[in-house]
Coordinates of all heavy atoms in Angstrom, one line a residue:
S95 N -0.3 -12.5 25.9 CA -0.6 -12.1 24.5 C -1.0 -10.6 24.5 O -0.7 -9.9 23.4 CB -1.7 -12.9 23.9 OG -2.9 -12.7 24.6
I96 N -1.5 -10.1 25.6 CA -1.9 -8.7 25.6 C -0.7 -7.8 25.8 O -0.5 -6.8 25.1 CB -2.9 -8.4 26.7 CG1 -4.3 -9.1 26.4 CG2 -3.2 -6.9 26.9 CD1 -5.3 -9.1 27.5
H97 N 0.2 -8.2 26.8 CA 1.3 -7.3 27.2 C 2.6 -7.6 26.4 O 3.4 -6.7 26.3 CB 1.5 -7.5 28.7 CG 0.4 -7.0 29.5 ND1 0.2 -5.6 29.7 CD2 -0.6 -7.6 30.2 CE1 -0.9 -5.4 30.5 NE2 -1.4 -6.6 30.8
F98 N 2.8 -8.8 26.0 CA 4.2 -9.2 25.5 C 4.1 -9.7 24.1 O 5.1 -10.1 23.5 CB 4.8 -10.2 26.4 CG 4.8 -9.8 27.9 CD1 4.0 -10.5 28.8 CD2 5.6 -8.8 28.3 CE1 4.0 -10.1 30.1 CE2 5.6 -8.4 29.6 CZ 4.8 -9.1 30.5
G99 N 2.9 -9.9 23.5 CA 2.8 -10.4 22.2 C 3.3 -9.5 21.1 O 3.7 -8.4 21.4
T100 N 3.1 -9.9 19.9 CA 3.5 -9.1 18.7 C 2.6 -7.9 18.6 O 1.4 -7.9 18.8 CB 3.3 -9.9 17.4 OG1 4.0 -11.1 17.6 CG2 3.7 -9.1 16.2
P101 N 3.2 -6.7 18.5 CA 2.4 -5.4 18.4 C 1.5 -5.5 17.2 O 1.7 -6.2 16.2 CB 3.5 -4.3 18.2 CG 4.8 -5.0 18.6 CD 4.6 -6.4 18.3
P102 N 0.4 -4.7 17.3 CA -0.6 -4.7 16.2 C 0.1 -4.3 14.9 O 1.0 -3.4 14.9 CB -1.6 -3.6 16.6 CG -1.4 -3.4 18.1 CD 0.0 -3.8 18.4
K103 N -0.2 -4.9 13.8 CA 0.4 -4.6 12.5 C -0.1 -3.2 12.1 O -1.2 -2.8 12.4 CB 0.0 -5.6 11.5 CG 0.6 -6.9 11.7 CD 0.3 -7.9 10.5 CE 1.0 -9.2 10.7 NZ 0.6 -10.2 9.6
K104 N 0.7 -2.5 11.3 CA 0.3 -1.2 10.7 C -0.8 -1.5 9.7 O -0.8 -2.5 9.0 CB 1.5 -0.6 10.0 CG 2.3 0.4 10.7 CD 3.3 1.1 9.8 CE 4.0 2.2 10.5 NZ 4.9 2.9 9.6
E105 N -1.7 -0.6 9.7 CA -2.8 -0.7 8.7 C -2.1 -0.6 7.3 O -1.2 0.3 7.1 CB -3.8 0.5 8.9 CG -4.6 0.4 10.2 CD -5.6 1.5 10.3 OE1 -6.0 2.1 9.2 OE2 -6.0 1.8 11.4
T106 N -2.6 -1.4 6.4 CA -1.9 -1.4 5.1 C -2.1 -0.1 4.3 O -1.3 0.2 3.5 CB -2.6 -2.6 4.2 OG1 -4.0 -2.4 4.2 CG2 -2.2 -3.9 4.8
N107 N -3.1 0.7 4.7 CA -3.3 2.0 4.0 C -2.7 3.1 4.7 O -2.9 4.3 4.4 CB -4.8 2.2 3.8 CG -5.5 2.3 5.1 OD1 -5.0 2.0 6.1 ND2 -6.8 2.8 5.0
E108 N -1.9 2.9 5.8 CA -1.2 4.0 6.5 C -0.1 4.6 5.7 O 0.7 3.8 5.1 CB -0.7 3.5 7.9 CG -0.2 4.5 8.8 CD 0.2 4.0 10.1 OE1 -0.4 3.0 10.5 OE2 1.0 4.7 10.8
I109 N 0.0 5.9 5.7 CA 0.9 6.6 4.8 C 2.3 6.6 5.5 O 2.4 7.0 6.6 CB 0.4 8.0 4.5 CG1 -0.8 7.9 3.6 CG2 1.5 8.8 3.8 CD1 -1.5 9.2 3.4
D110 N 3.3 6.3 4.7 CA 4.7 6.4 5.2 C 5.3 7.7 4.5 O 5.3 7.7 3.3 CB 5.5 5.2 4.8 CG 7.0 5.3 5.2 OD1 7.8 5.9 4.4 OD2 7.3 4.9 6.3
P111 N 5.6 8.7 5.2 CA 6.1 10.0 4.6 C 7.2 9.8 3.6 O 7.2 10.5 2.6 CB 6.5 10.8 5.9 CG 5.7 10.3 7.0 CD 5.6 8.8 6.7
A112 N 8.2 9.0 4.0 CA 9.4 8.9 3.1 C 8.9 8.2 1.7 O 9.3 8.7 0.7 CB 10.4 8.1 3.7
E113 N 8.1 7.2 1.8 CA 7.6 6.5 0.6 C 6.7 7.5 -0.2 O 6.8 7.5 -1.4 CB 6.9 5.3 1.0 CG 7.7 4.2 1.5 CD 6.9 2.9 1.9 OE1 5.7 2.9 1.7 OE2 7.5 2.0 2.4
Y114 N 5.9 8.2 0.5 CA 5.0 9.2 -0.2 C 5.8 10.2 -0.9 O 5.5 10.6 -2.0 CB 4.1 9.8 0.9 CG 2.9 10.5 0.3 CD1 1.6 9.8 0.4 CD2 2.9 11.7 -0.4 CE1 0.5 10.4 -0.2 CE2 1.8 12.3 -0.9 CZ 0.6 11.6 -0.8 OH -0.6 12.2 -1.3
A115 N 6.9 10.7 -0.3 CA 7.8 11.7 -0.9 C 8.4 11.2 -2.2 O 8.6 11.9 -3.2 CB 8.8 12.2 0.1
E116 N 8.8 9.9 -2.1 CA 9.4 9.3 -3.3 C 8.4 9.2 -4.5 O 8.8 9.5 -5.6 CB 10.0 7.9 -3.0 CG 11.2 7.9 -2.1 CD 12.4 8.4 -2.8 OE1 12.4 8.4 -4.0 OE2 13.4 8.7 -2.1
E117 N 7.2 8.8 -4.1 CA 6.2 8.7 -5.2 C 5.8 10.1 -5.7 O 5.6 10.3 -6.9 CB 4.9 8.1 -4.6 CG 5.1 6.6 -4.2 CD 3.9 6.0 -3.5 OE1 2.9 6.8 -3.3 OE2 4.0 4.9 -3.0
F118 N 5.8 11.1 -4.8 CA 5.6 12.5 -5.2 C 6.6 12.9 -6.2 O 6.3 13.5 -7.3 CB 5.6 13.4 -4.0 CG 5.5 14.8 -4.2 CD1 4.3 15.5 -4.1 CD2 6.6 15.6 -4.6 CE1 4.2 16.9 -4.4 CE2 6.5 17.0 -4.8 CZ 5.3 17.6 -4.7

């Protein structure tokens, strides 16, 4: 589970540059 499991999920408040640019 440590080495091969599902990677940690992105924090829900993490900024996506492309999405941010669209909103801008």
Side-chain angles (χ1 to χ4, degrees):
S95 66
I96 294 171
H97 293 284
F98 309 109
T100 304
K103 290 183 178 179
K104 265 189 174 183
E105 295 181 21
T106 55
N107 61 347
E108 188 172 336
I109 292 172
D110 179 272
E113 291 179 3
Y114 199 103
E116 289 291 342
E117 293 173 3
F118 175 97

